[in-house]
Amino acid sequence: MDVELARWLVSPDAGPALAEASAQPDPTSLAAATALRRHWTPEQSAAVLSQAHLRRRAAAKFGDRADQLFLTADGLEQATRSDVARWRAGRFVAAGVREVVDLGCGLGADALAFLDSGLAVTAVEADPATATLAQANLGAGVRVLCGDAVELADDLLASGAAVFVDPARRTAAGRTWRVSDFSPPWEYATGLLAGRVGCVKAAPGLPSVVIPDAVATTWVSHRGDLVEASLWSGPWAAGSRTAVLLPSGAELDAGQRRDPPVGPIGRYLYEPDPAVIRSGAIGTLAQRLDARAAREGIAYLAADRLAPTPFATAFEVLEELPFDERVLRRWVREHDVGILEIKVRGLDVDPAVLRRRLKPDGARAATFVLLPTAARASAVVVRRVPADGAP
């Protein structure tokens, strides 16, 4: 989208077009495009129909607020979920921050949460059209500067404000996971954390080798989805690694990151939340649960007693079988299984392919957990334990 079209889109002149686009049953259809082009140019029609489509998609991230936001496809993809943005804003507030400079604000998702938390915000966005949309999203009370974050940062941070950086992870070829392609550069972004309260947002698969020793790192999962890693400077312990579960806000520190002991499959299996796995807090969780790993390096934990925890999904072990297709196929047939869930850890198995080969066509449901143990590759038949621990 060019900046002139963006300016029209956020102006009162576009209001009727946006309303008509939002009323279309399918904004991506030819019928919707035809209807809009009776009154607006093809470019304007495409822009408002795109907004209607993106706002419907954005409801999963922003709830009812999505209907009032101006969006782009790339910006929506990178935008922080509202629960995560609120958590981050709360961390800044708890650290005594009053003002945040948001370098690379995108569409303004995090800046909105900062505002909602009572923080003053100055935002910077390099792309002129995106900056126009961000200004409309954030309102007149926020300065959105269009420019290079590296060039503007020193002056904006001179007042002692906290810094938030969400480096762009896109190139001309599309989304990138290579740290060397981030903008602003990764070394520059993390360097801004020195001597001030700040946060740098990154992808959840961020390699440990690029995390500076002087920062605290959190891995955040939202409703079971691992959504980001974030690096923090300020009152948090340097070098700490923490799993954060949202929306509950539960936290688990990895501590010394000891590996759990290894032992046999017990009465229960625990599948740790992905944030626990990425943060290296498996050992801490195993200690809390009096649990053990079925094999070194395998994230599933085995235990003889059930201990409620928000940091893992618990399964009751019903039976342990050898991982042999003939054995599993016979078990599926004998137990009249038609709905078969297959979880795999540490084995080169495609669950979808194996499910087809096992030919479930019965009336019951079952879950297999395939994993290596000290003795063999096993297929553990399990049943989920409800979150309240009830049988």
Side-chain angles (χ1 to χ4, degrees):
M1 182 186 301
D2 65 55
V3 67
E4 291 303 321
L5 184 58
R7 288 170 181 162
W8 173 81
L9 185 64
V10 303
S11 73
D13 292 343
L18 285 165
E20 184 172 345
S22 67
Q24 296 296 319
D26 180 5
T28 66
S29 68
L30 178 60
T34 301
L36 268 292
R37 288 180 182 181
R38 294 191 186 106
H39 306 289
W40 291 278
T41 69
E43 293 77 13
Q44 291 171 338
S45 299
V48 293
L49 287 169
S50 175
Q51 289 304 300
H53 175 62
L54 290 171
R55 285 172 174 180
R56 293 177 192 184
R57 286 177 49 198
K61 279 192 174 185
F62 303 119
D64 293 341
R65 197 174 215 168
D67 289 339
Q68 306 302 318
L69 296 177
F70 293 94
L71 306 164
T72 64
D74 289 348
L76 176 58
E77 182 179 18
Q78 189 163 330
T80 304
R81 301 185 189 192
S82 56
D83 283 344
V84 182
R86 280 194 294 269
W87 163 79
R88 191 186 335 276
R91 268 198 148 208
F92 275 126
V93 171
V97 170
R98 296 184 178 181
E99 179 184 0
V100 179
V101 173
D102 184 345
L103 298 175
C105 70
L107 296 169
D110 280 282
L112 278 170
F114 297 150
L115 287 174
D116 290 344
S117 296
L119 298 169
V121 182
T122 300
V124 177
E125 171 54 44
D127 178 70
T130 304
T132 298
L133 302 185
Q135 185 68 77
N137 290 336
L138 295 170
V142 175
R143 251 195 326 162
V144 178
L145 304 177
C146 183
D148 188 317
V150 175
E151 295 177 359
L152 297 172
D154 285 348
D155 287 343
L156 294 176
L157 294 170
S159 64
V163 65
F164 172 64
V165 190
D166 181 3
R169 296 185 288 277
R170 278 196 171 274
T171 65
R175 194 162 189 174
T176 178
W177 302 108
R178 296 194 306 173
V179 173
S180 58
D181 291 332
F182 289 1
S183 178
W186 182 250
E187 293 77 11
Y188 177 81
T190 55
L192 290 171
L193 300 178
R196 62 169 57 89
V197 178
C199 175
V200 176
K201 174 184 169 182
L206 182 71
S208 294
V209 294
V210 303
I211 299 176
D213 294 336
V215 304
T217 309
T218 58
W219 279 265
V220 180
S221 74
H222 181 251
R223 303 190 187 280
D225 295 333
L226 186 61
V227 294
E228 71 169 59
S230 46
L231 281 55
W232 294 84
S233 60
W236 303 280
S240 63
R241 298 166 68 96
T242 305
V244 179
L245 276 54
L246 297 177
S248 71
E251 296 190 6
L252 184 66
D253 190 89
Q256 298 300 313
R257 300 196 289 277
R258 298 186 180 90
D259 292 331
V262 176
I265 299 295
R267 186 177 174 187
Y268 296 97
L269 271 183
Y270 292 94
E271 182 181 33
D273 185 273
V276 173
I277 297 172
R278 284 297 305 175
S279 66
I282 290 288
T284 301
L285 180 60
Q287 187 175 28
R288 287 192 179 190
L289 299 175
D290 191 21
R292 55 198 175 263
R295 185 166 172 173
E296 185 177 353
I298 299 301
Y300 274 88
L301 298 173
D304 301 313
R305 291 178 297 178
L306 181 64
T309 177
F311 298 106
T313 300
F315 297 88
E316 182 183 4
V317 175
L318 304 178
E319 193 172 352
E320 183 180 354
L321 306 170
F323 177 45
D324 182 311
E325 281 194 26
R326 294 168 300 177
V327 173
L328 300 184
R329 190 178 299 111
R330 183 169 60 250
W331 191 96
V332 166
R333 183 177 63 252
E334 291 175 351
H335 289 79
D336 194 30
V337 173
I339 300 174
L340 180 60
E341 178 184 26
I342 301 176
K343 292 176 167 289
V344 181
R345 182 77 68 175
L347 297 175
D348 186 14
V349 177
D350 184 327
V353 172
L354 178 60
R355 188 181 298 108
R356 288 195 298 269
R357 292 168 67 94
L358 296 182
K359 302 178 181 178
D361 63 356
R364 298 180 179 178
T367 299
F368 288 160
V369 176
L370 311 181
L371 75 172
T373 65
R376 63 184 182 183
S378 293
V380 185
V381 186
V382 298
R383 177 171 55 207
R384 271 182 174 77
V385 176
D388 60 6

